[in-house]
Structure formats: structure tokens, C-alpha cells
Amino acid sequence: MDNQIFVDSEISTLQRLIIHSPDSGLGKVVPSKAQDWLFEDIIHLDTMRRKEYDYYVKLLLFFLDPEKIQNQDLSDAKREFFKPNSKGYFNSDKVIDFEKLLADVLNIEEVKVQLVAAVSAIEECSYLEMKRFLTFGNIELSKVLITGITDSGEMFFPPIPNLIFTRDIGIVVNDHILLNKPARRARSRESLLAKYIFFNHPLFATLTGKIIEIEEDEEHFLLPEDQGKRIDTLEGGDVMMVAPNHLLIGISERTTVEAARQVIDKLFAKNIVKKISLIKIPAKRDYMHIDTIFTQIKRNVWVLLGSLARTKETAENEKVWDELGQRVTHEDIIIKQFYKEGDKVLSRNFDNLEELLKYISEIDLKCTEPVNFIYSGNNVFPFGAREQWTDSCNLLVLKEGVAVGYDRNDKTSEAFREYGFKTIHAVELVNQLEQGKVKVEDINDTIILLPSSELSRARGGSHCMSMPLQRIAYKPKN
Ligand SMILES: NC(=[NH2+])NCCC[C@H](N)C(=O)O
């Protein structure tokens, strides 16, 4: 098995990634905790799995590891195929479930003991509970650590329902990985488990010395109890490896400028990238991470939320009215780019998001075709905001120009079609692939629409539901 970890763009062919299939913990979210656990609503687990997420997995397998899925009988009764660590599991080394990796590292006795102690500590389990966890087999233990619940239904601690959004755990930056430090308590256990996986799983042996962690600022310990909010937090949805040598970091509800500064210092010191652009977006639930307001589809095509993309002229005109005291009706984005020149770190500003994205396409990706923007909801009021809320701007590229989005964002799909993309429903495409009527190689400029009624209540799209480990290295066209 080739264990290479390498990502230098958002758009080159995807070869390997980490996902996590909705586990039973998602079906245990209660209404009064939904918001604390960062869900907008409670979800129907069986629908989310069979009618939605399983199609996502099938697509990933057809594109990344077709041998695992061709000629498989996937009739409804065979859900085993999708369940990590079950007998009939597809067990791919390209489409890898977090739960599988966790069960693997629990085979290492030292890791098992440390991990059980660490989780028991953060979840405030009793000493005897901790001792009991150590008697569990690795597969059951991996489930308990994720869902909080044993096979027989005993519940020890809350689930981590957001683990399906593996993007937020960490980001591969060239051949390094940047691990997160989540802003919300509901996501702490995810990053703890992830740490043990990346430091110990043989799959990540090539990452030795290449794992970057965010440390807490010493001032944090001195803050009064009621202001105990962490200062340095960073989540993967705010980090995008957009081009060889260029990393984007969103400053958002979840990622602080202090953490971004640490990343700049660490990556520049090790010469891992040459440019890091910080994009400060309004700190609000609607836009929790930058990947909820834009993603890239092709070297010259981006999908984004129009209301946040004001031109310089518009911004200047509005400033006059702001100064006169008119109620502010717009939201601002601030963009600063830091770049290394020899030993010096210099900075420059960008006036708006489109200017930065155009710069990435033209300068970093050396794209000579005109750069195009597709807007959430086709920029028609009020569909831009409505569809952004259900992840119209959060797409995962499988190969350049072919991306997975949600089927509910009708106006955004219309915008893609007007631009010249095809759209196809995931269920239909999977059927065609299963029957051999279409080949992956022949699919181009297509947005694949995943069923999303339940998934969207969890507030993340296919970009969030993926942690790319390997993409083909980006090549400019001559
Ligand atoms: N990369 C992303 N946009 N992730 C979305 C995460 C959604 C999750 N419910 C949360 O609020 O944390």
C-alpha cells in the first residue's frame, strides 16, 4: 500500500480520504441538546444512512476504489457493507473510516491505555468505569469512544455527532498535517481521538515529524473562570490548501486570529508554504467556517455566497452611508495575505473575496481561462442565504470539475447549469455506474446532487464530510 499523504490543491483528482459514516450516536441526540451539540434539529438516522450517506460512500468508492464496489450486491438488507469493522465491510484503503482507524490503534496496548484514560478524564468517568473500558475488545471500545454507548445500550458519555464532518479534524498541507483545536466542547473528544490516530497509526508513519498542533496561549490559564473561552482555536473547515504553496485560513466563529498566527509562524518556520491568506468573516452560526461560504470546483470556477462578495466600489459607496450613521446592512470580510520573501514576512491586502479567489486561480494556479463565480441561490434574494444555510457553497471535488453537492439547493444547481455544468442526482448516477452505463472517466463538468434532507440538519456538506489525505499533485495546463 502506498502511504503517501499529500494535498496541494482543492481540485486535483482525489485519491484517498477519511470519512465517518453516521454512527448510532447521531440517533441519540435529544432536542434539548441538539444546539449544544451543534445540530439544528434531531435527525432520522436510518434515512440519513440508507437514503443519503450510503450514496455518498458509493460515489466515493466508484471514483476512488472501484474494485471494492463493482459487482457487489448492495440490496437494502446488506448495510453491513457500510459499517466499519463489521464482517461484510468494504474495508478500502482509499475511502477510510475514522472508526476503523481508531479500532486499529487500540490494538497497540499503550495507546489503548492512554486513550481510555484521556477520554475518561475529559468525560469525567469514574475510575471503575475506566477500568471497565479496558476490558472491552477493540472494536466495541472504538464504538464506545465514539458513541458513548455499548453494544448492549449502556450509555457512559454523550455522542460526538459531528464526527461525520471529518474535515474539521485536520488538514493536510502538502506532506504535513495541521491538527485542529476545536472551539466547541462538543467537538473536543473528536480531536483527542484524532491525535492518537495520527501519531500512532501505521498509515501515518510518513507523518513522523510532520504533524502540526496548535498550543494554548499561556494567558489562557490566567483568565477568570467565567471567561475560560480558549484563545487559540482552529477548525479544519477554516483551512484550505488552495494551491501549491498557498494556504487559506478563515478567522471565524471557530478559528481565532491567535491560532492563525501560530499556524503562520509554524508553517513559515518550516517552509511548508510560502503564502498564507487570512479571511476574516462575520462570527456567526450561518458561516461557521470559510468552507460554508465558498469552495472551488475547477481551476477557474468557484461557488460562493454573493452577499459576502462586495466589490471595492460598492464597499466604498456604502462606507459613505455608514459614516453618516445609516444602519449597516452589509457584512464585511477582511483579507490579509502574508508571504515569505527570503527571510522576511511581508503582507498585502485584498479588497474582497472575489479578488482573492481570482488571484489564486490566475497567479497561484496559473490559469489562463477567465475566472468565473457561481453564486449561492443564483444570487437571487432570498435564495442565496437560504441555500448557503444548507451548504450550497460546500462542495467536495472528486476530480477537477466533478463535485458533490446537495440536491436541495435548486437555485444554485440552476446557476451551475446556466454556467454549463451538468447536474445529476446521486441515486441516478450510482444506478448508472452500477449498471455499467457510465464510466467515471467519462464524467466531466458535473455536479452530483446528494440527497440531503437529514444531512443538512447537521449543518455541513460534502466538503465538511471529507478529510482528503491524498490528491494528485496540481499541474498547470501549458
Ligand atoms: N467544515 C464545516 N463547515 N463543518 C461543518 C460542521 C457542522 C457542525 N454541526 C458544527 O457546527 O460544528
Side-chain angles (χ1 to χ4, degrees), residues 294-347:
F294 69 91
T295 42
Q296 190 172 12
I297 310 296
K298 286 173 84 156
R299 60 194 72 207
N300 64 328
V301 180
W302 302 78
V303 55
L304 69 158
L305 176 64
S307 65
L308 282 181
R310 288 188 309 152
T311 61
K312 191 178 181 179
E313 296 75 47
T314 317
E316 270 164 13
N317 287 340
E318 278 167 353
K319 212 168 134 209
V320 177
W321 294 102
D322 294 349
E323 281 166 4
L324 285 168
Q326 194 188 40
R327 200 168 48 86
V328 179
T329 53
H330 53 82
E331 290 175 306
D332 271 330
I333 289 196
I334 301 172
I335 304 172
K336 303 248 174 231
Q337 180 173 92
F338 297 86
Y339 58 100
K340 253 187 117 165
E341 232 172 57
D343 282 343
K344 283 208 217 103
V345 175
L346 306 171
S347 76

Side-chain angles (χ1 to χ4, degrees), residues 421-445:
F421 278 87
K422 294 175 270 290
T423 57
I424 182 165
H425 200 272
V427 176
E428 192 186 331
L429 181 60
V430 164
N431 280 340
Q432 293 182 3
L433 288 163
E434 277 171 356
Q435 291 163 14
K437 289 190 185 153
V438 191
K439 287 206 193 75
V440 161
E441 306 80 78
D442 301 332
I443 305 174
N444 292 306
D445 288 348

Side-chain angles (χ1 to χ4, degrees), residues 9-14 63 296-301 361 365 367 369 396-403 421 440-441 443-447 471-477:
S9 80
E10 285 263 318
I11 51 167
S12 294
T13 304
L14 182 62
F63 277 82
Q296 190 172 12
I297 310 296
K298 286 173 84 156
R299 60 194 72 207
N300 64 328
V301 180
S361 291
L365 300 173
C367 169
E369 300 123 282
L396 173 71
V397 172
L398 302 177
K399 68 178 196 184
E400 192 173 352
V402 178
F421 278 87
V440 161
E441 306 80 78
I443 305 174
N444 292 306
D445 288 348
T446 301
I447 305 299
R471 285 189 185 270
I472 289 181
Y474 178 79
K475 270 196 212 76
K477 291 180 192 158

Side-chain angles (χ1 to χ4, degrees), residues 274-312:
K274 289 206 176 72
K275 283 179 212 168
I276 299 183
S277 300
L278 304 192
I279 307 172
K280 187 167 191 291
I281 59 172
K284 62 190 235 193
R285 176 80 180 129
D286 309 37
Y287 322 137
M288 70 203 99
H289 300 121
I290 51 168
D291 74 346
T292 66
I293 58 169
F294 69 91
T295 42
Q296 190 172 12
I297 310 296
K298 286 173 84 156
R299 60 194 72 207
N300 64 328
V301 180
W302 302 78
V303 55
L304 69 158
L305 176 64
S307 65
L308 282 181
R310 288 188 309 152
T311 61
K312 191 178 181 179

Side-chain angles (χ1 to χ4, degrees), residues 352-363:
N352 59 63
L353 190 55
E354 289 172 358
E355 190 188 314
L356 174 73
L357 303 182
K358 196 159 177 273
Y359 170 99
I360 295 166
S361 291
E362 289 172 352
I363 308 292

Side-chain angles (χ1 to χ4, degrees), residues 1-6 16-19 93-94 96-98 100-102 104-105 108 169 172 175-177 179 193-211 467-470:
M1 185 166 73
D2 138 45
N3 278 354
Q4 217 205 343
I5 306 290
F6 185 80
R16 184 194 296 266
L17 84 167
I18 300 180
I19 57 163
D93 61 7
K94 312 271 185 320
I96 310 169
D97 200 293
F98 188 93
K100 168 89 183 32
L101 297 172
L102 183 59
D104 291 344
V105 293
I108 310 168
I169 293 167
V172 175
D175 59 348
H176 281 63
I177 189 162
L179 296 185
L193 300 175
K195 228 181 275 191
Y196 280 85
I197 289 174
F198 289 111
F199 275 97
N200 295 291
H201 198 288
L203 185 67
F204 304 114
T206 56
L207 284 180
T208 310
K210 295 182 178 165
I211 302 178
M467 179 187 186
L469 293 176
Q470 195 179 354

Side-chain angles (χ1 to χ4, degrees), residues 37-39 162 165 167-168 187 235-238 253-254 285 288-289 291-292 391 394 458-461 463-464:
W37 291 344
L38 310 171
F39 271 48
N162 293 295
F165 302 121
R167 172 75 53 167
D168 297 330
R187 305 205 64 172
E235 298 189 354
D238 273 319
E253 186 195 66
R254 308 288 180 86
R285 176 80 180 129
M288 70 203 99
H289 300 121
D291 74 346
T292 66
D391 287 290
N394 186 275
R459 291 299 313 287
H463 194 265
C464 316

